Amino acid sequence: MKLFGKHVSEKDKKELLMQLLAVVLSGIFVITLGVVSFAWFSQNVSVENSGMQVVVSYETVELLIDRTTEYDDSSRYEGMVGAGGFKSVLAAKEFDFTETYTAEAPLLAYELIVAENTFENKKYLVPGAYGMLTFYIRPKTGHDGDTVFFNLFFEGYANFYEEGQAVSTIQQVTKESVCNLLKGHILFFKERTGAAYADYVYTEQITGGAFNYDMSQHAKCSDPGKTDLYKVTLYWEWPLTYYAIRDDLSTESPATTKKYPTETGAYVANNPLYFYPPSAAIATDEEKTDAYNDGDQLIGDNVEYFVVRIGIV
């Protein structure tokens, strides 16, 4: 077939079409000092009323962040700031957008920014986006060298209109199929090498929503003013297509190293609902790439704001 006057294969056609797909999200990273328990989404159950999340004091470490203000520009990121904006919605849940230290505010929130402009010169989350997520650990007296256990999970929010109302309200997305797709289309890793995107190699994928940081295995960071802290950096990517994952998987036999570790392939195979909509045909690679694209579209149709939550277990 021809696309934009060029002959392209069926695979390339899908990749090009995906680059045009209008899936754009603004992202927020929120961090909680302590989380006793948190369940993944349940249909028609909100966090406020479910009692799933309980915040407690944590006695061994404090967490710190470097603040950013990317999404404070309302002319570029509509719906993020101001009365009724997404930041005000999180602030109503007692997330703080001013402090940088959990000793001052146990619930911190700040922008999750992509590594480069990806859509209309704005740093939105779109298929193909990637970046880093950084925070710091300050051990309390007697706990330097401990292992800290974290939970990582995702939430989607969108503008909802009640019947008869002209003004929307931002509410958490509870549609199970959409919430599942967020856990597969945006992948997180503990390590990444390579100086440029084309050379990136990810390892230690976070596949179960939990990871740990053993301070005894790391040196304190060298950032000015933070030499008493441990710097934790996670790496994330929203693969553009199914083929972008399939063609860049490392293998064990023969041993080949590519962008994604071998566990990414197992994660896809073992969790189809994280990558494809329910009831999608996924017997062939062509069906899988169509279904993956449909998954991106389902996210775009239902989610306008994306939240990454990290809490100490």
Side-chain angles (χ1 to χ4, degrees), residues 46-258:
S46 66
V47 171
E48 295 94 329
N49 297 325
S50 68
M52 289 188 296
Q53 180 181 346
V54 181
V55 178
V56 297
S57 62
Y58 200 80
E59 299 299 330
T60 62
V61 300
E62 298 288 357
L63 306 179
L64 295 88
I65 60 173
D66 285 326
R67 237 176 225 296
T68 54
T69 58
E70 174 70 23
Y71 297 143
D72 282 349
D73 185 347
S74 59
S75 66
R76 288 166 56 82
Y77 301 100
E78 184 179 356
M80 287 296 290
V81 294
F86 186 47
K87 285 191 174 184
S88 70
V89 171
L90 290 179
K93 296 174 182 284
E94 300 185 353
F95 282 96
D96 187 276
F97 283 90
T98 302
E99 302 293 347
T100 60
Y101 185 25
T102 54
E104 302 296 333
L107 303 177
L108 301 176
Y110 69 110
E111 292 86 344
L112 177 69
I113 301 177
V114 302
E116 62 182 20
N117 294 339
T118 60
F119 185 79
E120 294 182 348
N121 202 37
K122 299 177 185 180
K123 292 183 178 179
Y124 282 119
L125 290 173
V126 296
Y130 60 94
M132 300 184 300
L133 185 158
T134 299
F135 61 96
Y136 300 87
I137 298 173
R138 171 175 287 153
K140 294 185 178 181
T141 302
H143 294 282
D144 201 342
D146 284 3
T147 297
V148 186
F149 297 90
F150 294 96
N151 274 336
L152 179 148
F153 42 91
F154 311 131
E155 295 177 354
Y157 289 77
N159 294 298
F160 287 84
Y161 290 86
E162 299 291 342
E163 185 175 354
Q165 291 185 344
V167 179
S168 66
T169 58
I170 297 174
Q171 300 178 25
Q172 187 175 333
V173 176
T174 58
K175 190 173 183 179
E176 187 175 13
S177 59
V178 176
C179 299
N180 279 333
L181 289 167
L182 292 176
K183 292 184 277 187
H185 283 240
I186 302 176
L187 304 176
F188 272 77
F189 305 86
K190 292 177 67 175
E191 300 290 342
R192 187 188 74 191
T193 59
Y197 177 76
D199 303 317
Y200 284 167
V201 174
Y202 297 104
T203 54
E204 296 189 60
Q205 184 180 347
I206 302 173
T207 57
F211 68 99
N212 62 69
Y213 187 90
D214 184 349
M215 289 182 282
S216 70
Q217 301 299 310
H218 295 83
K220 292 180 179 177
C221 76
S222 58
D223 295 0
K226 296 184 175 70
T227 54
D228 62 330
L229 309 177
Y230 293 91
K231 185 175 184 177
V232 182
T233 300
L234 305 180
Y235 304 90
W236 61 267
E237 183 168 331
W238 186 341
L240 182 62
T241 64
Y242 163 77
Y243 283 115
I245 300 175
R246 189 205 68 173
D247 294 347
D248 250 335
L249 282 174
S250 299
T251 59
E252 295 179 348
S253 182
T256 60
T257 299
K258 295 186 178 181

Side-chain angles (χ1 to χ4, degrees), residues 240-307:
L240 182 62
T241 64
Y242 163 77
Y243 283 115
I245 300 175
R246 189 205 68 173
D247 294 347
D248 250 335
L249 282 174
S250 299
T251 59
E252 295 179 348
S253 182
T256 60
T257 299
K258 295 186 178 181
K259 174 180 283 190
Y260 302 109
T262 56
E263 59 258 40
T264 301
Y267 188 61
V268 175
N270 295 332
N271 300 281
L273 293 180
Y274 294 0
F275 295 88
Y276 319 113
S279 303
I282 53 172
T284 68
D285 282 343
E286 286 297 303
E287 290 175 338
K288 288 176 181 176
T289 198
D290 283 340
Y292 184 91
N293 294 353
D294 290 342
D296 274 337
Q297 188 63 66
L298 191 59
I299 293 173
D301 289 343
N302 289 275
V303 179
E304 295 174 78
Y305 311 99
F306 175 68
V307 169

